[in-house]
Amino acid sequence: MSERFRIAIVGSGPGGLSAAARAAERGESHVLLEAEPHLSNTIYRYQKGKFVMDEPGILPLRSPVPFKAGSRESILGAWDEAAARLKINVRHGHEVSAIKKREDGSFELKCANGATIEAQFVVLGIGLQGNIRKLGVPGEDLPFVQYQLDDPDEYEGETIVVVGAGDAAIENAVALAKQNNVVIVNRRDEFARAKKGNEAAILKAIEDGAIECYYNAAPERVDALSVGRKKGRLILSTPNGKAQLLIDRVIGRLGATAPRSFVEACGVTFPSKDPAAVPAISPQYESNVKGLYIVGALGGYPLIKQAMNQGYEVVEYIRGERVEPADEPLLKAKLGAMPGFRSVDDTLARIQQNVRVLSHITPLQLREFMLDSDLRTPKPGDIVFRRNDYTNSFYSIVEGEVRIALDEDGKQFITLGRGEFFGEMGLISGRRRSATVTAGNGCVLIETPRRSMNRLINSVAAVKREIDEVFILRAIQSRFAPEATAAQLKDMVAGATLQKFAAGDILFNEGEVGDCLHLVRVGSLTISRNIAGKEVVLSYVPAGNYVGEMALLGESRRSATARAAIATETVRLDGESFKKLVNRMPVLKLRLQAEYRQRAASNLAMQALPAGGDIIQFLLAQGAGEATDILLIDESLCVRCDNCEKACAETHGGTSRLDREAGPTYASVHVPTSCRHCEHPHCMKDCPPDALRRAPNGEVYIADNCIGCGNCERNCPYGVIHMATKPPKKPGLLSWLLFGLGPGPGEAPYDAKKKSKEPKEKKAVKCDMCKDEKGGPACVRACPTGAAIRISPEEFPAYAQSRR
Amino acid sequence: MNARHESILNHAGSRWLWIALALSLVSLLAYALHSPAVPPNGGTWLGYTLGTIAGLLILWLMFFGIRKRSYSGTSNLRGWLSAHVYLGTALILIALLHAGFQVGWNLHTFFLVLMLLVIVSGFFGVYCYLRYPTLMTRNRESATRSAMLEEIGELDQNALALADGIDPKVHGIVLRSIQNTRLGGGVLAQLRARDDSDAALAGIRAALEAREKSQAAAGGAKSGQTIFAMVDFLASGTNDRQAEALRKLIDLLSRKKVLASRVARDIQYQALMEVWLYIHVPLSFATVAALFAHVVSVFFYW
Ligand SMILES: Cc1cc2nc3c(=O)[nH]c(=O)nc-3n(C[C@H](O)[C@H](O)[C@H](O)COP(=O)(O)OP(=O)(O)OC[C@H]3O[C@@H](n4cnc5c(N)ncnc54)[C@H](O)[C@@H]3O)c2cc1C
Ligand code: HEM
Ligand code: HEM
Ligand code: SF4
Ligand code: SF4
């Protein structure tokens, strides 16, 4: 037996809730299907008291449901109130497990609880969090079985079973073990899925007897007990038979099922296998399945306000109304600067017509792309960016032309015209700009930040293909043959391929016959030789350089081994066509030979000093290969005064972003816990408001629009991001020195608000390499003994040689 | 930026060493060439000049304390300390030349001695700065102090748990040994190391109390003796499982002893690198006071 509605909305997150509210307001026949017993599970699961932010501030809210920045509780409260007031037809406990399109064009939605719903239109707003995996056994919903843990210190003296073997399970188990008897149940015989640090922690806790572990075990049943001291009983099946545990609490941390396969099963297609890919949707949010609409995070809009606006708009579209999208005024403000501006749609069409990479994307994608991007109209002669700037945005030329200098004094240059793009090298390699770009006549450019561009590249295969092709041509041209024309290089470009290597993979071995060379496009390599049975690292090759030419120029065998230091991508150039090119161009030959001699000399110097190679190897083992700038402390000079930490705290509102003591040490070289300003920062991967940025000098920093979601903290493998509240002002140094006023240098400022219960916005903080300080990093400047320095991986060989 | 570490002694190619040497040489030359009517002293024009230089140097050396705590600006603190060390050393010569080597039992000489004490303590500081960091690293074997303290805490708990299953007497011994472990107790070490170790000890004690509600501690032996006591048990032959447990217990306690002495040494090194400043700084303030007294007295009573 099934019910019929006009619009079925799946998921009551901000997107779905807003859609349902608008439908209710308009008197549409609708139903809101929510898997959980409460609304908006993603927000419900935020930490208690979390301050929810309403970025982007400039975007107006358009929804019958209120939303403004405030505590999680106040927002959820307001939403519950609005849902009741608007009489939204919400069905809790309805997890939609299948959506089928029927012959007549309507949809049939099957729920896990057995209910079936029919609808003419479906709005999918299920977000990206996926569904929490439950235990999947009888008793999984008993009151003492939970799937989340806010505050481990809340529990004391209990017997708690944690089910799962991932990071969340381990972190919970270890934290709970302080005050409770903890048992962890692992389906497999190891904890290999977890981060290294967590794996070590759990194994240690098990060995110490602080936590009891059942390997190869699975829960079979949970029962509530009414007599006895314990609330329940968990039956486990283990390799040695069944086990019964009397328990107070079960915490399931089994991860979540990513929503993608469910969405695909509904018939929606994704453009690529990349996990970051989002389904293509029309400007009306309609997917490739007619009548099935996608809003919110699932469609690639990761902020609450965006999701709410879309929820509102999608109902209007379904009703056949034309609404000006909420972002229209923003786009108008952006595009208004374009010469000959008439309307947003007209301008967008013109952009798409002019710029070929952008012709592959849907109008909605283009809108979003333009919202993230900026329109630039530099005057002729203005510099767009300079060689060695550390920016990584991408530029498309809508009108006019730019000049790209190929050599340092700008004598040789190429001109790019309407429809072409530039800036792809910095974007792809994560390194400094390789050339200076100057605006020509009538220049209109679109500057797109790294994240939006990467998302586009990952979502639209045609964009990726086109950028890669151009990349290869330009990389060859700028690295080897600025004087050659595209036609001369045709052979070589045709024979070039992109290759990927995982960290530690070998590109070629010492002694092999060489038939190609590699231009490093992403990542970095080490060059090593086998000396007396030991692999000795001789040099470090960052992105933008090539290896393997030696064997092609003279000797035919590889004189050393090239190995990927981190995940690396290269452009592999065919040896034959390269040799031909070299023979045709004597200048190139001379230049390569000069470079060759220099390399050979520095290799020899390293070889004389094998301990230097060990230091490089040590640094690379700490992940320094993906750094652009890393703090090193010479422990034979460091007097442990912690002035570096105090300086950091003092220049950054009272919390140090640096932990001097933590971190490994080798031969007195200590790598403290401090940001390395990675080439491809992991922290940037998943930041909803795109608050992680790279400054022109390479500093990775967090902008003010951070919403405090904690993703970057989790994504940084080096543990250098923390969540902190904004500090109050401190009195100056002199009043402390003379009158003892306020906290001293390096101490956190006193907080007048501390006692008040009011939630405070917590944001992510990290090292910004003191980009706003004239003198550079305060930690280095404040070190009285010269123990602390910051260097980049290119300097590793020189650094290693300076230490004996 | 330079891709190598420079110490305070060779900062910028030992620039300040050369400057200090030049200053000393000029002063010496002036002193040698100068032939006043009276024996050289602070009252001649050269005396006044050198005295003024010396006085300004002292004030500038004092300024290091402020510079160390102001974290913006463009210069490197290492350069400042390098200059501090070399110019501070040159001060010995300049001050002596200023006074024309006239010393006696008076306020002026008291001031000179005070200043020399500051300088000597500075030498000791530089010695510490050059020597102890390496020793400290070597001693730590890449563990952090808090990690070592944590491990000690864990070893204690494990030992206690083991002892629990053996015999109340053994338990008492282990307990005593834990209570007798006191890290960072000495006067010098207490300057800094106190918080860490006390926290760890408090943790251990809390664990102890939780376990110890019913049982009272008995027996007595110092940490070093615990191991012997245990060996006694082994020899006197308790049953097999107990022997096994005891052997394990001994391993635990030995490991703990290694760690505990390592932590103690760590604390000692750190204290050595800090404690001289507790002489250097107060004395330097006294020196400034004396400087004022000296200047005032020479103007009023000369
Ligand atoms: C820790 C954290 C902090 C954040 N902080 C902020 C912030 O401060 N400001 C901000 O703007 N954004 C923030 N975000 C992002 C924001 O939460 C998301 O962008 C937003 O929730 C997306 O809304 P949505 O409607 O697309 O989906 P969601 O909010 O994820 O809602 C999806 C809903 O669908 C339900 N559901 C899923 N599958 C099914 C199914 N099969 N059947 C039925 N129901 C289903 C879920 O239970 C859930 O209720 C944060 C995110 C995180 C993780
Ligand atoms: C580092 C700083 C200084 C030191 C260590 C120092 C030390 C001395 C000493 C030891 C004497 C010899 C006293 C004696 O005759 O017994 C002396 C004399 C003198 N000092 Fe200084 N002095 C310093 C700075 C100054 C300054 C800044 C001034 C004045 C501006 C000054 C003015 C004099 C004078 C005038 C005398 C001669 C006093 C006499 O001959 O009785 N000194 N000083
Ligand atoms: C009269 C001479 C001197 C005076 C007045 C003086 C004064 C000071 C002061 C005020 C400080 C700041 C300490 C702090 O605030 O933490 C300091 C630090 C120091 N001084 Fe001197 N000093 C003098 C001479 C010297 C000499 C000659 C040396 C070495 C040869 C020296 C070595 C040091 C060192 C190593 C520090 C510690 C730096 C640090 O770690 O912070 N000083 N001195
Ligand atoms: S915060 Fe972490 S991931 Fe981000 S740049 Fe720094 S070290 Fe890399
Ligand atoms: S400031 Fe320098 S000496 Fe002091 S702790 Fe930091 S690195 Fe060590």
Side-chain angles (χ1 to χ4, degrees):
Chain A
M1 190 206 89
S2 67
E3 291 179 272
R4 272 195 78 94
F5 299 94
R6 203 161 109 84
I7 308 178
I9 299 147
V10 187
S12 69
L17 181 66
S18 176
R22 182 62 181 163
E25 201 175 47
R26 287 286 204 149
E28 281 284 347
S29 137
H30 72 280
V31 65
L32 176 58
L33 302 170
E34 168 58 52
E36 298 298 321
H38 42 255
L39 293 176
S40 284
N41 194 36
T42 302
I43 283 98
Y44 187 87
R45 279 173 50 211
Y46 289 175
Q47 212 170 16
K48 288 210 177 69
K50 179 192 183 308
F51 189 90
V52 183
M53 282 162 242
D54 57 358
E55 291 290 328
I58 38 167
L59 188 69
L61 176 73
R62 184 191 271 168
S63 171
V65 182
F67 172 58
K68 64 178 195 300
S71 72
R72 159 190 175 273
E73 287 69 21
S74 68
I75 286 166
L76 289 175
W79 288 359
D80 283 340
E81 187 273 323
R85 175 168 45 82
L86 294 163
K87 301 204 173 60
I88 294 178
N89 179 23
V90 51
R91 301 278 166 86
H92 288 291
H94 281 53
E95 180 187 342
V96 176
S97 51
I99 301 178
K100 220 173 63 220
K101 182 146 187 167
R102 293 196 302 207
E103 304 272 292
D104 63 358
S106 70
F107 292 91
E108 184 181 283
L109 294 86
K110 284 218 159 58
C111 297
N113 65 358
T116 310
I117 305 267
E118 284 173 45
Q120 224 172 319
F121 300 98
V122 173
V123 176
L124 211 49
I126 59 174
L128 283 177
Q129 300 298 314
N131 276 326
I132 301 235
R133 282 208 188 88
K134 297 198 174 172
L135 293 182
V137 298
E140 60 177 15
D141 286 324
L142 285 169
F144 55 86
V145 179
Q146 63 193 55
Y147 299 94
Q148 186 183 11
L149 179 65
D150 280 339
D151 180 10
D153 296 336
E154 229 173 83
Y155 308 103
E156 203 180 328
E158 296 192 354
T159 302
I160 302 178
V161 177
V162 178
V163 185
D167 286 311
I170 296 176
E171 279 161 20
N172 288 176
V174 171
L176 286 167
K178 273 193 222 125
Q179 314 195 52
N180 302 280
N181 289 320
V182 176
V183 178
I184 189 163
V185 176
N186 184 349
R187 248 172 246 269
R188 299 199 285 152
D189 57 359
E190 52 178 16
F191 286 92
R193 223 161 20 92
K195 282 190 203 158
K196 276 270 169 317
N198 278 335
E199 188 185 359
I202 187 78
L203 292 179
K204 183 157 185 313
I206 293 170
E207 175 162 6
D208 292 349
I211 292 177
E212 193 181 349
C213 177
Y214 287 90
Y215 289 104
N216 294 317
E220 237 173 40
R221 202 173 76 232
V222 192
D223 303 320
L225 299 180
S226 49
V227 290
R229 287 192 305 125
K230 298 291 180 194
K231 285 188 215 144
R233 175 172 62 192
L234 173 72
I235 311 287
L236 275 182
S237 74
T238 74
N240 307 326
K242 286 201 193 332
Q244 162 179 297
L245 304 174
L246 292 179
I247 47 156
D248 293 295
R249 194 169 301 282
V250 179
I251 298 183
R253 297 316 298 260
L254 299 163
T257 42
R260 177 159 171 171
S261 56
F262 167 68
V263 178
E264 280 177 328
C266 300
V268 176
T269 51
F270 283 71
S272 80
K273 281 212 281 292
D274 191 283
V278 292
I281 43 182
S282 75
Q284 284 75 40
Y285 312 116
E286 194 167 13
S287 69
N288 61 309
V289 179
K290 277 263 149 307
L292 190 124
Y293 294 76
I294 293 178
V295 296
L298 182 64
Y301 297 83
L303 291 171
I304 294 173
K305 211 196 279 175
Q306 293 170 330
M308 294 182 77
N309 286 351
Q310 294 185 347
Y312 172 98
E313 286 159 17
V314 79
V315 169
E316 296 299 300
Y317 290 136
I318 289 174
R319 289 171 49 87
E321 312 270 341
R322 256 186 68 90
V323 267
E324 187 177 73
D327 54 26
E328 186 83 5
L330 301 180
L331 276 179
K332 202 177 248 165
K334 258 196 185 150
L335 299 179
M338 179 128 161
F341 173 84
R342 260 181 294 140
S343 73
V344 169
D345 282 335
D346 173 66
T347 312
L348 290 179
R350 203 163 110 209
I351 289 173
Q352 209 154 23
Q353 197 185 349
N354 284 6
V355 183
R356 197 154 57 104
V357 249
L358 299 181
S359 67
H360 309 292
I361 65 180
T362 67
L364 187 67
Q365 279 170 329
L366 182 67
R367 283 189 90 91
E368 201 208 344
F369 182 84
M370 284 312 301
L371 270 180
D372 290 343
S373 308
D374 280 310
L375 198 76
R376 304 245 178 263
T377 48
K379 287 194 277 301
D382 281 2
I383 301 233
V384 182
F385 56 70
R386 285 171 206 283
R387 184 190 180 86
N388 287 340
D389 270 3
Y390 220 135
T391 47
N392 46 23
S393 50
F394 178 93
Y395 291 85
S396 321
I397 308 175
V398 184
E399 302 280 359
E401 55 182 41
V402 299
R403 273 180 175 197
I404 302 192
L406 293 175
D407 50 358
E408 258 153 87
D409 37 5
K411 282 210 196 72
Q412 287 184 12
F413 57 83
I414 51 175
T415 305
L416 296 183
R418 174 208 275 195
E420 296 191 270
F421 57 82
F422 59 95
E424 78 290 347
M425 295 238 189
L427 176 78
I428 291 171
S429 70
R431 303 210 126 239
R432 295 177 186 276
R433 298 289 194 195
S434 55
T436 300
V437 177
T438 319
N441 285 330
C443 210
V444 179
L445 306 175
I446 301 173
E447 178 181 1
T448 312
R450 171 191 136 102
R451 182 184 70 160
S452 316
M453 202 58 217
N454 276 341
R455 178 146 35 139
L456 196 65
I457 290 175
N458 287 327
S459 304
V460 185
V463 173
K464 178 171 168 52
R465 201 175 334 107
E466 186 156 345
I467 292 180
D468 279 347
E469 274 165 17
V470 173
F471 179 93
I472 292 176
L473 171 66
R474 292 198 187 148
I476 295 174
Q477 199 165 24
S478 69
R479 201 66 193 90
F480 298 115
E483 35 305 86
T485 61
Q488 279 171 308
L489 296 175
K490 219 179 85 199
D491 258 6
M492 215 156 103
V493 173
T497 48
L498 291 180
Q499 293 203 329
K500 280 191 179 178
F501 300 91
D505 280 2
I506 289 183
L507 277 73
F508 51 75
N509 269 311
E510 187 176 348
E512 278 175 11
V513 178
D515 61 347
C516 66
L517 78 168
H518 291 269
L519 230 162
V520 185
R521 156 179 142 110
V522 182
S524 53
L525 311 174
T526 56
I527 303 297
S528 58
R529 290 193 68 175
N530 194 320
I531 297 174
K534 186 167 166 269
E535 186 171 338
V536 175
V537 176
L538 299 178
S539 73
Y540 168 89
V541 182
N545 294 299
Y546 56 86
V547 293
E549 84 295 357
M550 290 193 183
L552 297 178
L553 287 179
E555 320 146 35
S556 66
R557 292 191 180 271
R558 302 291 192 195
S559 60
T561 300
R563 190 190 280 279
I566 49 174
T568 296
E569 261 179 68
T570 66
V571 180
R572 180 188 183 279
L573 300 176
D574 175 53
E576 283 311 310
S577 48
F578 185 71
K579 275 189 210 161
K580 264 192 232 144
L581 183 76
V582 173
N583 289 336
R584 245 187 297 155
M585 301 183 65
V587 218
L588 175 59
K589 187 158 193 171
L590 287 179
R591 206 166 41 220
L592 287 172
Q593 275 166 348
E595 229 160 304
Y596 172 94
R597 271 194 296 278
Q598 217 177 342
R599 283 184 177 190
S602 82
N603 282 1
L604 220 61
M606 275 309 278
Q607 225 162 310
L609 203 104
D614 290 348
I615 290 186
I616 299 187
Q617 216 140 30
F618 160 73
L619 290 173
L620 294 179
Q622 309 316 317
E626 61 175 344
T628 63
D629 192 293
I630 186 168
L631 178 65
L632 298 180
I633 292 184
D634 183 346
E635 286 208 333
S636 65
L637 291 177
C638 171
V639 296
R640 278 72 165 178
C641 64
D642 280 336
N643 211 32
C644 44
E645 285 191 15
K646 285 179 202 141
C648 184
E650 196 60 17
T651 41
H652 295 91
T655 28
S656 174
R657 278 90 162 109
L658 147 76
D659 185 345
R660 174 191 56 78
E661 196 183 8
T665 307
Y666 174 81
S668 280
V669 179
H670 176 64
V671 183
T673 300
S674 160
C675 176
R676 299 109 186 271
H677 303 274
C678 305
E679 275 175 358
H680 294 278
H682 306 275
C683 51
M684 282 187 186
K685 203 155 33 198
D686 203 8
C687 172
D690 202 9
L692 278 142
R693 312 261 173 82
R694 170 152 250 151
N697 284 322
E699 306 93 342
V700 174
Y701 68 98
I702 301 179
D704 281 343
N705 61 340
C706 165
I707 54 169
C709 70
N711 285 353
C712 53
E713 185 184 19
R714 246 168 285 130
N715 284 336
C716 171
Y718 307 111
V720 305
I721 301 188
H722 305 288
M723 312 306 292
T725 50
K726 219 187 178 103
K729 266 243 155 321
K730 264 171 78 161
L733 174 65
L734 270 183
S735 49
W736 172 77
L737 269 183
L738 300 179
F739 313 114
L741 278 187
E747 291 164 25
Y750 302 139
D751 190 350
K753 262 203 273 173
K754 196 162 222 161
K755 275 167 228 105
S756 71
K757 275 267 180 319
E758 186 186 329
K760 289 209 301 182
E761 34 176 280
K762 270 200 170 170
K763 295 190 170 195
V765 298
K766 70 178 282 295
C767 160
D768 59 0
M769 265 210 286
C770 300
K771 68 183 175 61
D772 300 326
E773 296 279 332
K774 282 193 299 300
C779 48
V780 173
R781 270 187 292 118
C783 176
T785 63
I789 61 170
R790 299 202 72 116
I791 67 173
S792 68
E794 289 95 322
E795 297 167 308
F796 284 173
Y799 177 71
Q801 283 181 28
S802 76
R803 301 192 59 81
R804 271 181 253 207
Chain B
M1 206 169 287
N2 208 335
R4 57 175 12 149
H5 301 279
E6 283 179 331
S7 79
I8 46 174
L9 297 184
N10 63 15
H11 165 79
S14 307
R15 173 192 298 162
W16 292 102
L17 171 62
W18 300 115
I19 292 176
L21 280 179
L23 185 63
S24 308
L25 218 72
V26 170
S27 315
L28 262 179
L29 265 175
Y31 187 78
L33 297 179
H34 181 56
S35 46
V38 286
N41 71 44
T44 64
W45 69 263
L46 182 67
Y48 268 107
T49 310
L50 289 176
T52 309
I53 293 177
L56 290 178
L57 266 180
I58 288 190
L59 293 181
W60 178 81
L61 289 165
M62 291 300 293
F63 179 70
F64 182 79
I66 295 181
R67 173 61 188 76
K68 182 178 166 185
R69 289 172 184 79
S70 47
Y71 297 105
S72 44
T74 51
S75 58
N76 213 312
L77 194 63
R78 174 188 60 203
W80 278 77
L81 186 56
S82 182
H84 182 92
V85 166
Y86 285 122
L87 293 180
T89 309
L91 194 55
I92 306 179
L93 184 72
I94 297 173
L96 284 175
L97 294 181
H98 153 70
F101 299 95
Q102 296 201 14
V103 290
W105 292 106
N106 54 22
L107 176 79
H108 313 305
T109 308
F110 170 70
F111 166 39
L112 182 69
V113 170
L114 214 52
M115 186 196 80
L116 288 175
L117 280 179
V118 174
I119 295 177
V120 169
S121 69
F123 284 149
F124 178 70
V126 170
Y127 167 79
C128 290
Y129 277 21
L130 293 183
R131 179 174 159 80
Y132 293 119
T134 313
L135 290 182
M136 197 165 177
T137 304
R138 213 173 289 157
N139 177 47
R140 276 196 188 177
E141 292 185 345
S142 10
T144 61
R145 185 187 299 164
S146 57
M148 289 191 279
L149 286 172
E150 216 167 87
E151 192 177 346
I152 291 179
E154 266 162 28
L155 286 171
D156 281 345
Q157 292 210 13
N158 290 352
L160 214 56
L162 255 178
D164 223 8
I166 300 178
D167 176 290
K169 223 163 132 196
V170 177
H171 188 266
I173 295 170
V174 173
L175 195 61
R176 273 309 263 254
S177 139
I178 293 176
Q179 282 167 343
N180 282 343
T181 317
R182 206 158 285 137
L183 295 167
V187 188
L188 298 188
Q190 288 246 335
L191 293 174
R192 253 302 169 75
R194 195 186 45 210
D195 309 344
D196 292 352
S197 46
D198 270 6
L201 276 175
I204 297 166
R205 283 202 201 99
L208 263 176
E209 268 157 24
R211 282 169 179 277
E212 273 309 285
K213 281 220 176 88
S214 50
Q215 277 177 310
K222 288 225 159 57
S223 150
Q225 287 160 3
T226 314
I227 293 176
F228 293 113
M230 221 71 65
V231 175
D232 271 357
F233 269 108
L234 282 181
S236 68
T238 30
N239 69 44
D240 258 18
R241 267 184 62 184
Q242 288 209 351
E244 178 63 36
L246 281 172
R247 238 174 258 128
K248 243 178 133 179
L249 195 53
I250 294 173
D251 285 349
L252 286 182
L253 289 178
S254 322
R255 166 91 188 127
K256 177 190 158 179
K257 228 185 123 175
V258 172
L259 275 177
S261 50
R262 191 176 288 163
V263 170
R265 215 169 307 135
D266 193 59
I267 292 174
Q268 183 200 357
Y269 289 147
Q270 175 128 30
L272 277 168
M273 286 193 287
E274 277 168 24
V275 79
W276 71 273
L277 268 175
Y278 289 82
I279 297 171
H280 192 71
V281 177
L283 278 186
S284 68
F285 276 98
T287 305
V288 173
L291 169 66
F292 282 108
H294 171 66
V295 173
V296 168
S297 78
V298 292
F299 279 126
F300 280 82
Y301 300 105
W302 181 53

